[in-house]
Amino acid sequence: MVGALGVVFGDIGTSPIYTLATVFDPHDAHPVPVSPNNVYGVVSLIFWSVMTIVTLTYVTLVMRADNHGEGGIMALITLVRRWSAPKTRHTSMILAALGVFGAALFFGDSMITPAISVLSAVEGLEIVDPDFKDFVVPVTAAIIVALFAVQRRGTAVVGRFFGPVMILWFLSIGALGVGGIAREPEILRALSPTYALGFLAGHFHIAFFALAAVVLAVTGAEALYADMGHFGRKAITLGWLGLVLPACTVNYFGQGALVLSDESAVRAPFFLLMPEWSRIPLILLATAATVIASQAVITGAFSVASQAAQLGYLPRLRVQHTSASTIGQVYVPWINGVLLVAVLILVFAFRSSSALAYAFGMAVTGTITITTLLFLYLARTRAGAPLWLVVIGGGALLFVDLMFFAANMTKLVHGAWLPLLIAVCAFTVMTTWQRGRAIVTRARRRAEGPMREFIDSLSTREPPLIRLPGTAVFLNRGDDTAPLSMRANVEHNHVLAEHVVIVSLNTEPVPRVPDAERVTVDELGSAHDGIVHVLAHFGYMDRVDVPRALSLLDPSQTEGPLDLDRATYFLSKLELCQGDAPTMAPWRKRLFIATSYITADAAASFGLPLDRTVIIGSRLQV
């Protein structure tokens, strides 16, 4: 739970820094006037929004939907595809497409959160001394670079380091909130939902636009779900109910009490809630907490990208598993680099947290709405929830989500366009890769042909195939089609090694696979032809080492001893080029070919000796 506090709750736990100030921002296009009734209404609306979206929707309901312990919107897509009946196939395809767009929005969230969170904390230096204003952006950039540099150490290490910091943070903001409430205890009346409903009903022309800022209080809700594979549902639930929710609630009410007693404090109620003597150390603590806020969405982005690659929405990426006890703790170097560049661009382009506030809200509300919709579909199809409950209860949750989303749509020209642009770009890349991959897979299967039919034809070739002394290892995707490299070698060189091993890899949902269970051998139905198929099993924490796995084979399994010290390894590589077939639009073909270049190097991924690895390429038109 300490690790979860150090990673998962940073985003939602630092929302008190900027939420109330953004709601009452006088420079906003639709400002909320500062008055006692509005303060009660806004504080009550923040509290009940958090209870409805985070506590009820995510912690109580959505986090029950996991895919072998993994959470996040990509896990929901997997479950939707798995549990869809034939008669609802069309509906599930539409929902899956919506889910991919939600994942794309989450990538936008992962870029915006580090920028707005760290900027908002460093801006607190201006409260201490206005002369620090010119240092805000450079200091923010330096902190962000340092944050992304430590990601390779793994979520568990980062969580253990950040956990105590976040515990101190939540205790501190809770204490500040208690101090504020002590000045104006009347603010506690805002715990009643009547104030939130009264604010919405009596001042809808103001309250509707205020929702675009109120939603900042629930930023990080999707990160709770996306990071579930890193720490588990129980640790996240206990951390939220036991510490994070009470601390944030008390702080929001303390800020509201401060504004009631001094309306001028609305410009920075979080920082002005601090006693003057404590501002510098607490601003430093806030800066540390916002760095951790970024950690929640960064690790979530790693999980989403890893799952997207497994589902075929992204190319094979280099994924490092950083924990032997939790399958979801991953580090994806390529995603880490892309996020770093994107976050720095946002920091230098927007230069303040207020400029990014509405961009932030759009990314959050879009993802939350789609997640709720997918969950309700699963509740009906998988869990068998009564239709009336899904329609009434789920409809109420969706209504709340759509209200927030509609309010943020009014901020399109004020920055809300940014996450939509990022999401459209990411969605286009993912759907193009999925479509192109399906086209290439069909073409590749036609070119490879059935495995057993090809093996059987080798003995009847004219002229007879020359079998040379030695061992050849061909890497292949499975055992149903012939490796392209093997087929090309036979058809063009008319030779084949005396011992041939066709190897396929399988990653199991366990940390490590013992050597006794490492390999499974299939003679492919033809005894004594020197050709076997080997399925190598690896755990997600195992280092994939094909030569070592083959060394575990007994000579009786491979129709004779293998000369692995001098064996040659063959990889099939497809060179994609744009063809005339109307499979995709020309621009999507170019995008698909460009995306293929980020695929992780196969030889390095499989532990092959580079001086004895031969790559045989084939050209394929898309």
Side-chain angles (χ1 to χ4, degrees):
M1 189 172 71
V2 172
L5 286 169
V7 172
V8 177
F9 299 106
D11 190 1
I12 200 166
T14 53
S15 295
I17 296 177
Y18 44 77
T19 299
L20 207 66
T22 304
V23 173
F24 290 107
D25 184 4
H27 304 294
D28 183 59
H30 306 94
V32 177
V34 182
S35 69
N37 286 337
N38 287 350
V39 172
Y40 279 112
V42 167
V43 172
S44 182
L45 192 57
I46 289 174
F47 172 71
W48 285 104
S49 297
V50 171
M51 292 299 293
T52 303
I53 293 177
V54 184
T55 306
L56 177 58
T57 301
Y58 274 92
V59 174
T60 304
L61 298 175
V62 175
M63 287 180 64
R64 295 179 183 275
D66 68 280
N67 180 35
H68 300 295
E70 288 278 9
I73 200 163
M74 295 306 295
L76 281 180
I77 294 173
T78 305
L79 294 173
V80 165
R81 288 166 54 171
R82 181 184 304 160
W83 288 91
S84 60
K87 62 181 180 181
T88 61
R89 187 75 63 186
H90 184 67
T91 302
S92 66
M93 289 175 61
I94 295 174
L95 290 174
L98 268 177
V100 174
F101 189 75
L105 277 170
F106 184 74
F107 282 127
D109 187 7
S110 303
M111 297 173 186
I112 297 169
T113 296
I116 189 175
S117 298
V118 181
L119 273 171
S120 66
V122 178
E123 284 168 353
L125 294 173
E126 297 179 41
I127 303 297
V128 177
D129 188 341
D131 292 337
F132 282 125
K133 182 175 182 179
D134 294 336
F135 296 95
V136 169
V137 171
V139 170
T140 298
I143 291 172
I144 286 170
V145 170
L147 172 66
F148 280 94
V150 302
Q151 293 305 312
R152 68 187 65 197
R153 299 189 177 275
T155 308
V157 173
V158 173
R160 282 196 298 270
F161 177 76
F162 284 159
V165 177
M166 288 308 296
I167 292 174
L168 179 60
W169 166 257
F170 288 120
L171 292 176
S172 298
I173 67 172
L176 292 175
V178 170
I181 293 170
R183 303 177 195 177
E184 292 283 343
E186 290 291 307
I187 191 63
L188 292 176
R189 290 189 298 174
L191 285 169
S192 169
T194 57
Y195 285 90
L197 295 173
F199 179 60
L200 283 170
H203 307 83
F204 187 77
H205 62 291
I206 298 174
F208 175 72
F209 295 108
L211 289 176
V214 170
V215 76
L216 297 176
V218 300
T219 56
E222 176 62 22
L224 265 67
Y225 185 39
D227 285 337
M228 190 167 69
H230 290 254
F231 297 100
R233 176 172 173 259
K234 183 178 180 181
I236 293 174
T237 302
L238 290 176
W240 171 252
L241 297 177
L243 180 60
V244 182
L245 175 61
C248 290
T249 298
V250 170
N251 191 266
Y252 281 124
F253 277 78
Q255 291 184 50
L258 176 64
V259 174
L260 284 177
S261 61
D262 180 8
E263 291 187 5
S264 65
V266 77
R267 62 191 176 93
F270 177 82
F271 292 108
L272 293 175
L273 194 61
M274 305 174 184
E276 191 169 343
W277 59 267
S278 68
R279 282 181 186 165
I280 291 180
L282 285 176
I283 287 171
L284 293 175
L285 180 60
T287 303
T290 52
V291 170
I292 300 166
S294 308
Q295 184 66 43
V297 291
I298 293 171
T299 52
F302 292 159
S303 296
V304 170
S306 174
Q307 293 175 58
Q310 292 172 4
L311 289 175
Y313 290 104
L314 286 175
R316 182 183 68 246
L317 301 171
R318 186 161 66 92
V319 177
Q320 298 177 11
H321 290 269
T322 58
S323 171
S325 60
T326 308
I327 189 171
Q329 292 192 10
V330 295
Y331 166 64
V332 186
W334 193 85
I335 295 296
N336 193 61
V338 169
L339 288 181
L340 171 60
V341 172
V343 171
L344 289 176
I345 290 173
L346 292 179
V347 167
F348 286 106
F350 285 83
R351 306 186 70 82
S352 73
S353 60
S354 59
L356 276 167
Y358 295 115
F360 201 18
M362 177 57 75
V364 171
T365 55
T367 306
I368 288 173
T369 303
I370 294 171
T371 298
T372 303
L373 188 62
L374 294 180
F375 174 78
L376 292 176
Y377 176 81
L378 283 174
R380 176 63 180 160
T381 58
R382 181 187 179 186
L387 182 61
W388 66 267
L389 180 60
V390 173
V391 171
I392 297 175
L397 294 178
L398 268 179
F399 177 76
V400 172
D401 296 343
L402 288 171
M403 283 285 290
F404 280 111
F405 183 75
N408 274 273
M409 286 294 290
T410 66
K411 305 296 182 179
L412 275 176
V413 297
H414 303 289
W417 58 268
L418 176 63
L420 289 179
L421 177 61
I422 295 172
V424 167
C425 292
F427 178 79
T428 303
V429 170
M430 289 194 287
T431 53
T432 298
W433 180 260
Q434 184 202 34
R435 172 65 178 158
R437 182 174 175 269
I439 294 169
V440 168
T441 298
R442 286 197 299 268
R444 181 170 186 154
R445 291 181 69 87
R446 287 195 300 268
E448 291 175 335
M451 167 86 78
R452 295 178 184 272
E453 182 180 308
F454 174 70
I455 298 299
D456 292 340
S457 71
L458 296 179
S459 60
T460 59
R461 289 183 67 89
E462 290 294 338
L465 193 65
I466 300 173
R467 302 297 292 267
L468 300 176
T471 299
V473 180
F474 295 89
L475 275 294
N476 199 33
R477 293 173 178 267
D479 63 353
D480 57 339
T481 59
L484 274 178
S485 55
M486 183 177 177
R487 183 179 286 277
N489 190 50
V490 168
E491 293 180 352
H492 296 289
N493 298 330
H494 310 293
V495 296
L496 197 63
E498 180 184 8
H499 292 287
V500 173
V501 182
I502 302 170
V503 179
S504 303
L505 307 178
N506 187 40
T507 302
E508 306 289 348
V510 294
R512 303 188 189 280
V513 172
D515 285 347
E517 303 172 11
R518 179 75 66 198
V519 291
T520 305
V521 181
D522 181 0
E523 294 182 351
L524 299 174
S526 300
H528 310 300
D529 62 358
I531 304 174
V532 296
H533 177 266
V534 173
L535 179 60
H537 305 268
F538 293 93
Y540 61 81
M541 281 294 293
D542 281 326
R543 177 177 173 269
V544 178
D545 189 335
V546 171
R548 184 182 179 280
L550 295 179
S551 69
L552 301 173
L553 292 170
D554 188 88
S556 62
Q557 296 176 287
T558 56
E559 301 176 13
L562 301 178
D563 186 6
L564 294 177
D565 291 334
R566 289 187 291 273
T568 303
Y569 296 84
F570 291 86
L571 289 173
S572 307
K573 181 177 176 60
L574 288 179
E575 181 184 342
L576 303 177
C577 58
Q578 187 173 334
D580 297 327
T583 52
M584 288 192 294
W587 66 268
R588 292 191 77 182
K589 291 182 180 182
R590 290 191 290 270
L591 176 61
F592 174 69
I593 293 170
T595 306
S596 69
Y597 292 131
I598 69 173
T599 304
D601 178 64
S605 299
F606 302 150
L608 306 183
L610 298 182
D611 59 335
R612 289 186 282 119
T613 298
V614 177
I615 299 176
I616 298 181
S618 299
R619 177 167 291 185
L620 191 99
Q621 290 187 344
V622 293

